[in-house]
Amino acid sequence: MTLVQMLPRLAHADAHANLANRTVGDVMEAAGPQVCDDMTVEVALAVMAGARADHLLVCDEDGLCTGLITHAQLTTVRDGAAYTDRTRLRDVLGDRGPFTSPTTTMAEANHAMRYRRLTALPVVDERGGALGVLALSR
């Protein structure tokens, strides 16, 4: 996988140095669709379809980012035996995070995403508000 913003083809050492000098804030996507954590899974799937998005940023009642949920995660929950039409996003997300800061280097973010096998990572400010998303292209 490669990062969303394509980097020019450089020698391996040059490409690594380029990642080390760039920050997440330089390449993150706009925050995109944000939903409240009390939304049901069905409504979230409808929002996702309407926005033609692969993921949604989930926020709490104070507007702080609590995580990111993907279409695949929602579909798995909906198809699970424990699912009801009252299942809310906060029930699916569990613990907050993971997140990254806009000042994190791309090398650090790339390593963390690959280690955790993440395709997208919310970028938050020091208060916890969503600023954007760092996503890997397919």
Side-chain angles (χ1 to χ4, degrees), residues 41-125:
V41 169
E42 278 304 317
V43 173
L45 282 166
V47 168
M48 204 175 278
R52 294 185 176 152
D54 293 330
H55 58 264
L56 298 171
L57 285 174
V58 182
C59 298
D60 65 13
E61 63 276 354
D62 297 322
L64 302 179
C65 187
T66 58
L68 180 140
I69 192 120
T70 66
H71 186 269
Q73 289 171 308
L74 290 176
T75 303
T76 300
V77 168
R78 185 190 58 199
D79 295 343
Y83 174 77
T84 72
D85 62 350
R86 293 182 180 202
T87 303
R88 304 217 177 269
L89 295 179
R90 70 171 62 109
D91 303 328
V92 175
L93 279 177
D95 294 336
R96 288 178 47 103
F99 306 102
T100 193
S101 162
T103 60
T104 302
T105 67
M106 285 304 300
E108 292 169 326
N110 187 28
H111 174 75
M113 290 177 75
R114 289 181 188 279
Y115 178 76
R116 292 182 173 168
R117 295 186 175 131
L118 301 173
T119 58
L121 187 61
V123 181
V124 298
D125 62 19

Side-chain angles (χ1 to χ4, degrees), residues 24-40:
V24 168
D26 295 333
V27 298
M28 70 181 186
E29 299 174 355
Q34 295 182 37
V35 297
C36 192
D37 63 358
D38 68 348
M39 181 178 283
T40 65

